[in-house]
Amino acid sequence: MAELAELEDPKIREVNEKHGDDHGVNLGKLRALAKRLKTQQGLACGLWETGDSAARLLAILICRPKAFEGDELDAMVRQARTPKVHDWLVNYVVKKNPHAEELRLTWSADADPVVASAGWALTTERVAKKPEGLDLAGLLNVIEAEMKDAPDRLQWAMNHCLAQIGIEHAEHRTRAIDIGERLQVLKDYPTSPGCTSPFAPIWITEMVRRQHAET
């Protein structure tokens, strides 16, 4: 904790707080610290329990993702209230855990929009890597009905799933683009030069173009 405190940078904290994150640690330095510590499940659990965001990010980097039980991960995702901790927990830990599929189903139906967004993130992963058994048309129905009025983080996760369906599954592409066009979600999102807009019709079209350029 003392080492993490030394890595604190007020300017980084100021930028992070604009995005809802409450830490000021350079993530490159945090990763270097994690590399030195290597995997330590016990230490990771202790760091998580502090409730400190920087400590939790470090915990995620040094834990053993497959060591957690489903109920532990459920509790952790509900405790991870800042975007970066939530995002890293889902992507670096939950996706590698054997309970990911049961958590995906549970979280997707959760009344808490932040927890539900974790379920959608896991669904997006399956859309891309293991779509067998998924009802893609059904997912598009839900997105069409609920994404427009969803809270920010849930809306972002649903939009990512919409784009992924359109990118990966040609038979649903026209409908995915049409849903994006009609809902206009993230159409005006500020995008840096050289980056792809998160507006689904633009995102889908650009990624498909790149796939075709590579073949």
Side-chain angles (χ1 to χ4, degrees):
M1 293 302 291
E3 275 199 67
L4 286 171
E6 285 177 16
L7 295 177
E8 176 79 18
D9 182 329
K11 289 180 182 174
I12 292 176
R13 177 176 283 274
E14 188 180 341
V15 172
N16 286 340
E17 284 180 345
K18 290 176 183 172
H19 302 289
D21 288 307
D22 58 352
H23 72 90
V25 177
N26 177 296
L27 296 180
K29 291 179 179 176
L30 189 78
R31 289 180 187 279
L33 176 56
K35 196 172 181 181
R36 197 180 83 227
L37 290 170
K38 298 187 172 64
T39 303
Q40 295 190 50
Q41 182 69 5
L43 177 57
C45 292
L47 287 167
W48 184 271
E49 289 303 320
T50 66
D52 178 81
S53 286
R56 285 183 164 178
L57 291 172
L58 181 59
I60 289 165
L61 293 176
I62 65 169
C63 76
R64 280 201 306 278
K66 293 178 180 175
F68 293 104
E69 294 298 327
D71 58 349
E72 290 179 292
L73 291 176
D74 183 68
M76 289 166 76
V77 90
R78 294 172 194 282
Q79 294 161 357
R81 303 315 295 176
T82 61
K84 184 64 72 178
V85 172
H86 174 93
D87 186 49
W88 278 24
L89 179 64
V90 172
N91 284 296
Y92 296 170
V93 181
V94 181
K95 284 181 181 179
K96 298 174 183 176
N97 184 276
H99 300 285
E101 179 59 15
E102 64 190 72
L103 291 170
R104 180 185 79 82
L105 295 169
T106 303
W107 290 344
S108 295
D110 201 276
D112 183 328
V114 176
V115 175
S117 76
W120 278 93
L122 295 174
T123 298
T124 301
E125 175 89 347
R126 272 204 58 190
V127 166
K129 295 185 177 175
K130 207 169 98 177
E132 299 77 23
L134 281 180
D135 177 7
L136 297 177
L139 288 172
L140 290 175
N141 290 341
V142 175
I143 292 167
E144 189 171 24
E146 299 178 12
M147 182 172 75
K148 181 83 171 176
D149 299 317
D152 286 354
R153 282 161 70 183
L154 177 55
Q155 184 185 70
W156 187 273
M158 293 174 93
N159 182 71
H160 190 180
C161 190
L162 173 66
Q164 204 70 52
I165 291 172
I167 292 163
E168 301 287 344
H169 301 279
E171 69 277 20
H172 295 287
R173 189 168 297 146
T174 300
R175 186 180 174 207
I177 291 173
D178 178 62
I179 290 170
E181 290 285 5
R182 281 187 290 106
L183 299 186
Q184 299 282 291
V185 168
L186 300 175
K187 186 174 191 292
D188 300 319
Y189 192 84
T191 306
S192 304
C195 295
T196 304
S197 168
F199 179 49
I202 294 175
W203 191 355
I204 294 166
T205 304
E206 173 58 18
M207 297 311 290
V208 171
R209 184 194 67 76
R210 288 186 199 177
Q211 287 173 358
H212 288 160
E214 289 169 5
T215 55

